[in-house]
Amino acid sequence: MDNGYDIADYKDIDPSLGTMADFEPLLARAHELGLKILLDLVVNHTSDQHEWFKEAKKSRDNKYHDYYIWKDRNGDELPNNWGSSFGDPAWEYVEEVDQYYLHCFAKEQPDLNWENPEVRNSVYEMMRFWFEKGVDGFRMNVIFLISKDQSFPDGPVIQNKQYGSYYAGCANGPRVHEFLHEMNRKVLSDFDVLKRVMTEWQDKMYENDGWNSLYWSNHDQARAVSRFGNDSEKYRVISAKMLGTCLHMMQGTPYVYEGEELGMTNADFTEISEYRDLEALDIYYASGG
């Protein structure tokens, strides 16, 4: 239901669209044609048919119970006044555990509890699974809803609706930047992905008698140590040496962007007046800074 946005299995293909045996050659052929494949990443919620939720409903002591957002029953009162995107209450009662679970969308789409680090690690592991398959990236569905205000305040009632809006307590929540930064660090900037890409470059160049131009960065990109390594005082030099060794040991002609030979990192300014970059200043002042 909901056009596939209720995910029952994060590591398989919707049967209505085919099988993994169909997807893999599709991915390979797309890459042969110079096309990239992006998957829709739906991790604010799962389907109520997902094994995690089936287990979560069995007992409060079940490991997967804390994968979702539950509130104890208080008589006939709902945990708060939130309504779902589809007009019904955003809370659904489960008799087996005598609790309500949150669903910002349909009741068949229970929201994941991103406060639980095991949830986040399960999501990151799933993302790595698809990157290892060879997909090129993700379009992240309602990713701005993954961090909830843990006080779960009532939302404003707008347009004479029966229930309040969940947006105030869910949209761009207090930890959303932290969660996305963690995702970037553990998956999107993961060196294993980078290793796969660099290996593919080398293999294809070698097979076709090619000769590559090797570089980490330029004036339009972040410093290599900050982008691919760790620019803290403890690891900056180690990261710079690792990146330099990797680049200069590959087949091709290496290019060193000024400052790279020193292990230079991104700027660490604290005042906007310290910046002399037109794009950075334009963005700052356009946003009301």
Side-chain angles (χ1 to χ4, degrees):
M1 57 89 64
D2 196 23
N3 296 306
Y5 282 98
D6 54 326
I7 307 297
D9 188 341
Y10 279 119
K11 294 183 178 179
D12 206 354
I13 302 297
D14 187 325
S16 67
L17 300 176
T19 66
M20 190 68 77
D22 299 318
F23 176 76
E24 289 172 346
L26 169 69
L27 181 63
R29 181 58 177 152
H31 287 165
E32 288 174 6
L33 296 172
L35 302 174
K36 296 185 182 298
I37 298 292
L38 304 183
L39 297 185
D40 217 345
L41 185 71
V42 186
V43 289
N44 173 70
H45 51 268
T46 70
S47 167
D48 62 353
Q49 299 304 304
H50 196 290
E51 287 302 317
W52 295 347
F53 192 70
K54 289 181 179 179
E55 289 294 316
K57 293 194 303 181
K58 291 180 178 179
S59 165
R60 296 190 186 195
D61 297 326
N62 191 290
K63 167 189 173 181
Y64 292 101
H65 189 73
D66 196 42
Y67 268 47
Y68 298 88
I69 298 169
W70 300 88
K71 294 296 178 185
D72 292 339
R73 185 165 64 95
N74 181 18
D76 294 329
E77 291 185 16
L78 294 172
N80 64 21
N81 75 341
W82 292 356
S84 80
S85 291
F86 299 118
D88 54 338
W91 301 94
E92 185 72 12
Y93 180 67
V94 175
E95 187 173 359
E96 295 93 320
V97 292
D98 191 28
Q99 286 182 307
Y100 291 94
Y101 68 83
L102 176 66
H103 60 93
C104 289
F105 296 91
K107 66 180 182 180
E108 293 85 1
Q109 296 167 293
D111 278 44
L112 286 166
N113 176 22
W114 274 72
E115 298 291 320
N116 182 351
E118 291 190 32
V119 169
R120 304 199 301 274
N121 286 332
S122 294
V123 169
Y124 304 153
E125 188 274 328
M126 173 269 292
M127 293 173 71
R128 285 191 288 269
F129 167 84
W130 287 107
F131 275 132
E132 288 167 7
K133 283 280 183 188
V135 303
D136 300 287
F138 297 97
R139 174 262 177 187
M140 300 185 185
N141 180 65
V142 295
I143 199 70
F144 64 99
L145 296 181
I146 60 176
S147 172
K148 275 69 172 176
D149 182 336
Q150 293 301 290
S151 68
F152 293 91
D154 280 349
V157 178
I158 57 177
Q159 298 175 339
N160 296 317
K161 292 185 177 180
Q162 186 176 359
Y163 301 102
S165 170
Y166 62 74
Y167 260 60
C170 296
N172 302 308
R175 300 185 69 189
V176 67
H177 183 266
E178 174 192 342
F179 293 156
L180 293 179
H181 187 79
E182 181 181 71
M183 179 190 290
N184 181 63
R185 187 175 70 252
K186 292 191 173 184
V187 184
L188 303 177
S189 296
D190 188 76
F191 209 77
D192 286 341
V193 176
L194 184 63
K195 178 181 174 182
R196 175 179 59 79
V197 172
M198 301 296 271
T199 299
E200 184 178 7
W201 275 8
Q202 288 291 286
D203 289 345
K204 289 186 176 179
M205 285 285 183
Y206 181 78
E207 290 169 3
N208 296 284
D209 297 322
W211 193 258
N212 206 2
S213 294
L214 306 172
Y215 66 94
W216 283 124
S217 57
N218 56 40
H219 66 285
D220 286 323
Q221 296 171 323
R223 289 288 179 177
V225 173
S226 297
R227 185 181 182 191
F228 300 115
N230 185 322
D231 59 9
S232 66
E233 183 177 352
K234 183 177 181 180
Y235 294 109
R236 181 187 68 83
V237 173
I238 296 173
S239 294
K241 287 182 177 180
M242 176 272 293
L243 291 166
T245 301
C246 176
L247 190 76
H248 288 269
M249 292 297 105
M250 291 195 297
Q251 178 174 291
T253 302
Y255 290 81
V256 179
Y257 179 57
E258 55 183 343
E260 204 170 280
E261 74 282 2
L262 303 174
M264 192 172 286
T265 64
N266 286 347
D268 187 25
F269 297 143
T270 58
E271 299 290 337
I272 191 64
S273 60
E274 297 177 272
Y275 286 89
R276 292 293 183 270
D277 179 74
L278 288 176
E279 184 176 14
L281 293 171
D282 284 346
I283 293 172
Y284 177 78
Y285 290 115
S287 65

